[in-house]
Amino acid sequence: MIAATIAVVALSGGCSDKNPGNAETPAPTAPSSSTLPSDGAPSVTDPITDTSAVETDPCRAIPTAQVEEVGGKVESSRLDKMALGNGCTWLFAGSPSNVNAGLVTGNKDGLSSLYAQHKSGGLTTFKPVDPIEGYPAVIYANGGEDEGTCTLAVGVRNDLVYTVIPRLSMRHPGFSDACGMATKVAAAAIKNFKGA
């Protein structure tokens, strides 16, 4: 069911919220098809089947050193336990900036739930982007689009997405290209998923 529609935002703490951990979940739209993908979503042709370790410990998806290559010095990281999936938040040193990422296990419709929500007019931003390491991806929001933030969902299976959401202050060097940072973090995670 699209109840997870998107819980991706719930996992991430919401696009417009500069404080990590505050959940914001859009209302469900309509039931999804029992066959995935649906609603025009692309199929994940090379699904990543073993994600169990990262589901329980999302900080294992990307070593801190790789996050630092993309976003600068990491002051700390923490596990964010959410009803629809665990996320990892890396807090950058010197500014109130962070990036959150994790698998949204509570969304059993994968990218199809975003496509369905877009179809019903439930998203204020919906932009399919080039595949990341061969996996279909969408930048989306349900309000709160601000410079320094970006919500990226990557389909790792037809029934599972990995989300990456930077929330960057004006002092962070990546402020003007938060989606570029999200893409790099997602690419690093996908490579690590595949190599595990």
Side-chain angles (χ1 to χ4, degrees):
M1 194 171 199
I2 285 188
T5 302
I6 246 169
V8 178
V9 175
L11 172 66
S12 69
C15 289
S16 61
D17 192 342
K18 299 290 184 195
N19 298 319
N22 294 333
E24 175 184 309
T25 307
T29 51
S32 67
S33 167
S34 59
T35 305
L36 296 174
S38 65
D39 296 290
S43 182
V44 178
T45 56
D46 184 19
I48 299 170
T49 55
D50 185 10
T51 56
S52 57
V54 176
E55 288 174 25
T56 54
D57 183 5
C59 295
R60 287 182 60 181
I62 313 165
T64 297
Q66 284 186 295
V67 175
E68 289 182 330
E69 287 173 17
V70 173
K73 179 75 176 147
V74 170
E75 189 173 278
S76 64
S77 63
R78 70 164 186 260
L79 170 67
D80 292 324
K81 291 190 175 202
M82 307 293 228
L84 296 165
N86 295 328
C88 185
T89 297
W90 291 271
L91 303 164
F92 295 112
S95 69
S97 299
N98 67 76
V99 62
N100 176 282
L103 292 162
V104 187
T105 55
N107 169 12
K108 302 300 184 193
D109 292 330
L111 284 179
S112 295
S113 61
L114 282 173
Y115 277 75
Q117 194 172 9
H118 169 63
K119 204 183 245 188
S120 70
L123 295 173
T124 54
T125 295
F126 180 82
K127 181 183 172 191
V129 293
D130 289 340
I132 297 172
E133 296 297 318
Y135 291 82
V138 172
I139 291 169
Y140 74 96
N142 189 16
E145 294 91 336
D146 290 320
E147 193 172 7
T149 65
C150 182
T151 304
L152 173 71
V154 183
V156 295
R157 295 195 304 254
N158 286 335
D159 65 346
L160 184 65
V161 294
Y162 184 75
T163 61
V164 181
I165 302 168
R167 291 178 215 78
L168 308 176
S169 75
M170 291 179 70
R171 293 188 313 215
H172 192 280
F175 176 73
S176 63
D177 189 20
C179 289
M181 176 187 284
T183 299
K184 289 175 185 173
V185 169
I190 298 288
K191 286 177 186 173
N192 290 334
F193 288 156
K194 298 286 283 180

